[in-house]
Every structure is written in C-alpha cells, then in structure tokens.
Amino acid sequence: MAGQSRSRYQYIDSFLNKPGPTTDPDFVPGGPTISNLEASKVLVIGAGGLGCEILKNLAMSGFRDIHVIDMDTIDVSNLNRQFLFRKDDVGKSKAEVAAASVTSRCKDVKITPFNGKIQDKDEDFYMQFKIIICGLDSIEARRWINATLVSMVDMENPESLKPLVDGGTEGFKGQARVILPTLTSCIECQLDMHAPRAAVPLCTLATIPRQPEHCIEWAKIIAWEENRKNTVLDTDDPEHITWLYDKALNRAKEFNIPGVTYQLTQGVVKNIIPAIASTNAIIAAACCNEAFKIATSCNPYLTNYMMYTGDDSIYTYTFEHEQKPDCPVCGNLAKSITVNPNHTLHDFIDSLGERPEAQLKKPTLRTESTSLYFQSPPSLEEQTRPNLTKKLSELISDGEEIGVSDPAFTIDFKFKLIFQT
C-alpha cells in the first residue's frame, strides 16, 4: 500500500511498529506484520446487524481482503440498525450492498460478496481464509460452520486450522468468543448455554391461541402439516414465509388477536432475536479486535469467551470455557443422557429438540446393531415407524450408545442413554 493511503492507519500502526509487554514472542514489528495483516483473507458470515459493524471495523483496521456471505435480502425493518443500507436498497442482496457500501468509502479495501447459504460452499471455499468471523442470528448455522471447520483440520497441515471468531447479541446482552477448532472448546461444547425457546403446548395452539406468536406457531406446526406435509418447510424461502403469514393472519382474525405481521412471522419461524444497534457495535468491536490480534500477534487473543450484559448497568466477564471430551463435534466420547426407560421412542425424539445439549429437530436414530427410526426416505420411515410407540427399554439396554444424525448438520452425534432408576 502506498505511504499516503497507509497514513490513515497511523494509530493502528503504533501497535504494529513496536513490541509491547504482552506481544507474542514470534511478533515481528513493522513491515512484515503490516503486510501480513493486509494479505490476511477474512470471511465474514452474515451481513446483518453484526455483519455491517464487523465489515466496517475490519476495513478500518487494516484488513484489505474481506469476503462476506449472506443469503438474505434487505427488509425495511433492517434500516434502523444495519447502517450500510438505505431505503432504495430494500429487496437487494445484503452481502452485495454491504460490500459496495464499505468499498465506496474505503477505496483500498476489496470486499467480495456471496449471496447464498453457507451450506452451499464446500471445504475448499473455507480453506482459503485465514480467519472466519460469524455475525449470525441462528444457532443452527453456527453449529454447521463449527462442525465444518472442525472436520477440516488436518494435524499434518497447520494451515487447515481456521480460527473462528463468533459474536452474538440478544437485546442488551451479547458474547464474543474465539475458537481454535480441535484445540479449544467449540460451539457444540457450549451448546447448553443457548437453551432452545420454550415450546407452547399444542393444545393452546390448536384451541385457544392468545398471542400473535401462537397463531404463527399454529401455522408452522399444524397448518403446514395438514396442507403441505409433503413439502419440507424452508424458513429461508419467501414463498413459504408468505404462506405461513397468510395462514397466521387468518387465524388471528378468527380469534380477534392483533399483531401478526410478516416481520413477526419471520422472527417466530426463524427464531430471530431482537437486536439493539449499540449492543451490536460493542460485540462487533470485540470480534474485530480479536481478529486483528490473531492476524498480527500484537497482543494475546481472547481465551476464550467474553460475555457482556447491559440490561442492568454494564457488566463484562471473560472466562475459559473448557473443551468437553464427550462433545459430538470435537470430542471422542459419547455424551451421556439420562432417560426414562418407560418413555416411548417418540417421546425421546421430541425431547432431543428441547434438550439444551442436543437441539436436534429431525433426528434419525440407530444403534450399532439396528435402526431405531429414520426420518427419510419414506420407505425407511414407514419401516421404522412402529418403533415410535415402543418403550425405550424395549429397544435399547441401559448404558447403550446410539448414533443420531440430523439433516441440518454434517456430523453424526453419539449419545449414551442412562436409564433413570
């Protein structure tokens, strides 16, 4: 970079031109570190509330080769906090507009946008990056990229280990974490910190809805099954969301319940968490600082979890979340789960969606010797369906391990079922 354009980073360079008391022993001050920073290829996943802040911060921190991927388009509701977008951008790709907005201000930065799902990219795509930063609002997407990065690690190839910096917010609360796949606690190790939303009883949804959310859940769980059971619900398909919205709106009118909107339907169906711009800014800043430290070794990076809360005064706390030997992604032991042997297999499958340590929505289960239940294809589902009404004690023994797969994830899970006494 020419000296004139580099002058804009003079305050950042003060960290890079000389060592400090906490710099890494391998830190080389000056030109080599600055060149390494500029050459670091970074992937940002998500161009929403967090992603906009992250892209801006990276561009202003000396990163010059940034890539961003997001499958969403801009909605008018995004404009209050996703500051890279304008009213004329509504309906356009978030990734493309965000990239163009930042590069129009930072001419020396290259941002390559991708409009699509992270699941559509293969390992070769992720292998090209030095650091991956997540600004997602979905636990499922976090779990997918986490499992993918862990599976990519080749102990004989250090370049295959891609540091993952993950940020998340919920109202006035947020967290930032640094994950070194296979070496430190991963997202799956920490899954029980993100308990699934409490389920609404089906009887309430079916007979006496009281809130607009109940009408939307009814459309998703009951109406969809009755009318479109042969179609897999895709929460990222606008046609599917519109269908659910129309059904929920009619349901709400029937019970005189106001408040069902398209935006709320998206939020309930996709479990989108309300966001506050200032919280996004705080967490995005923390994530980008960690990426900067990883890329330059100018200071020790986070080990490995920082939580922030601003709903009751202001409080932050940093701690090291331990790697779990029974983590289904980075561990090698089966996770123990206590179950009631008198519950049916159907009950157990339902519980896998509610358990904080599992959160599996469409599991297929098998033991070492037999198939317990297959979600698909239809022929295997029909063949294993009779097992759903059987007690667990009829199908497995106390302490037996089962394998569980879910179409949302690239890995198989192992659970050791311990019978309650």
Side-chain angles (χ1 to χ4, degrees):
M1 182 184 294
Q4 183 177 1
S5 59
R6 189 69 213 173
S7 63
R8 69 189 298 189
Y9 301 107
Q10 59 178 314
Y11 297 107
I12 290 175
D13 287 352
S14 65
F15 288 97
L16 305 181
N17 284 324
K18 58 184 178 181
T22 58
T23 51
D24 191 280
D26 296 330
F27 175 72
V28 179
T33 295
I34 292 173
S35 297
N36 189 51
L37 172 65
E38 294 176 346
S40 295
K41 186 181 289 189
V42 180
L43 174 65
V44 178
I45 301 179
L50 271 176
C52 285
E53 293 279 356
I54 290 170
L55 289 170
K56 176 261 295 181
N57 290 349
L58 291 176
M60 299 300 291
S61 298
F63 290 92
R64 296 186 64 195
D65 191 358
I66 305 168
H67 296 239
V68 58
I69 183 169
D70 196 304
M71 65 175 298
D72 284 344
T73 55
I74 298 164
D75 185 80
V76 68
S77 63
N78 303 144
L79 303 181
N80 73 324
R81 63 191 181 282
Q82 298 175 22
F83 61 92
L84 297 179
F85 309 142
R86 300 293 180 265
K87 188 175 180 180
D88 290 342
D89 297 324
V90 171
K92 298 178 183 178
S93 161
K94 284 187 175 182
E96 293 173 1
V97 174
S101 181
V102 174
T103 53
S104 69
R105 294 164 174 79
C106 303
K107 306 292 186 182
D108 51 359
V109 177
K110 177 185 176 183
I111 302 182
T112 305
F114 300 95
N115 183 34
K117 297 181 179 181
I118 58 173
Q119 294 88 343
D120 292 339
K121 300 295 184 180
D122 58 18
E123 288 190 1
D124 290 339
F125 172 79
Y126 295 106
M127 194 66 76
Q128 66 182 302
F129 300 106
K130 181 172 182 178
I131 303 169
I132 295 173
I133 307 176
C134 284
L136 291 162
D137 59 5
S138 164
I139 295 295
E140 289 79 8
R142 281 189 178 94
R143 294 175 71 182
W144 188 90
I145 190 63
N146 173 73
T148 298
L149 296 182
V150 170
S151 68
M152 284 168 46
V153 175
D154 179 355
M155 293 303 179
E156 297 181 359
N157 177 17
E159 294 298 317
S160 67
L161 193 153
K162 307 298 178 182
L164 174 64
V165 181
D166 176 63
T169 67
E170 180 178 352
F172 285 105
K173 299 178 181 179
Q175 101 276 327
R177 49 189 166 183
V178 173
I179 294 166
L180 303 180
T182 72
L183 300 182
T184 66
S185 167
C186 75
I187 286 176
E188 203 73 25
C189 293
Q190 306 165 17
L191 186 61
D192 53 4
M193 299 179 67
H194 304 277
R197 183 177 57 185
V200 180
L202 277 177
C203 59
T204 298
L205 301 180
T207 59
I208 49 170
R210 298 184 297 274
Q211 301 173 13
E213 291 82 359
H214 294 170
C215 298
I216 297 168
E217 292 281 11
W218 171 85
K220 175 186 175 184
I221 297 173
I222 298 176
W224 186 275
E225 181 66 21
E226 290 178 351
N227 295 274
R228 305 183 66 169
K229 62 185 300 183
N230 294 324
T231 303
V232 177
L233 175 62
D234 183 353
T235 59
D236 294 312
D237 187 330
E239 188 273 325
H240 289 191
I241 298 296
T242 300
W243 189 92
L244 294 174
Y245 165 63
D246 291 338
K247 290 293 182 180
L249 187 61
N250 290 333
R251 178 78 165 174
K253 289 178 180 178
E254 180 183 349
F255 288 88
N256 297 316
I257 300 173
V260 172
T261 64
Y262 184 87
Q263 180 184 351
L264 181 63
T265 302
Q266 279 185 307
V268 171
V269 172
K270 299 179 68 174
N271 197 20
I272 296 175
I273 306 300
I276 295 175
S278 55
T279 309
N280 285 340
I282 292 168
I283 298 303
C287 290
C288 292
N289 278 347
E290 295 311 310
F292 182 80
K293 290 187 285 184
I294 292 170
T296 64
S297 300
C298 66
N299 280 84
Y301 51 78
L302 175 67
T303 309
N304 51 22
Y305 194 103
M306 184 277 289
M307 57 168 286
Y308 164 85
T309 179
D311 53 357
D312 184 9
S313 188
I314 295 175
Y315 176 75
T316 61
Y317 180 65
T318 299
F319 66 95
E320 182 174 1
H321 201 292
E322 294 185 358
Q323 197 172 16
K324 294 182 177 179
D326 62 355
C327 172
V329 173
C330 67
N332 52 21
L333 300 177
K335 180 180 287 292
S336 295
I337 291 182
T338 302
V339 297
N340 187 329
N342 293 318
H343 283 179
T344 65
L345 182 63
H346 190 283
D347 294 332
F348 176 67
I349 290 175
D350 286 345
S351 75
L352 287 177
E354 301 167 359
R355 289 176 180 266
E357 71 273 28
Q359 301 186 39
L360 302 172
K361 297 179 179 178
K362 293 185 177 180
T364 288
L365 300 88
R366 60 196 175 280
T367 66
E368 188 174 342
S369 59
T370 186
S371 299
L372 297 176
Y373 181 69
F374 275 80
Q375 296 277 353
S376 61
S379 58
L380 286 178
E381 193 283 330
E382 183 178 359
Q383 183 179 337
T384 56
R385 191 184 304 161
N387 287 339
L388 291 175
T389 56
K390 295 181 180 179
K391 295 180 180 180
L392 290 176
S393 57
E394 299 177 53
L395 298 170
I396 59 174
S397 57
D398 188 11
E400 187 171 1
E401 292 185 10
I402 64 170
V404 181
S405 59
D406 189 291
F409 306 104
T410 59
I411 61 166
D412 287 342
F413 300 81
K414 291 190 299 182
F415 296 109
K416 183 177 182 179
L417 303 193
I418 308 299
F419 288 171
Q420 289 177 344
T421 57

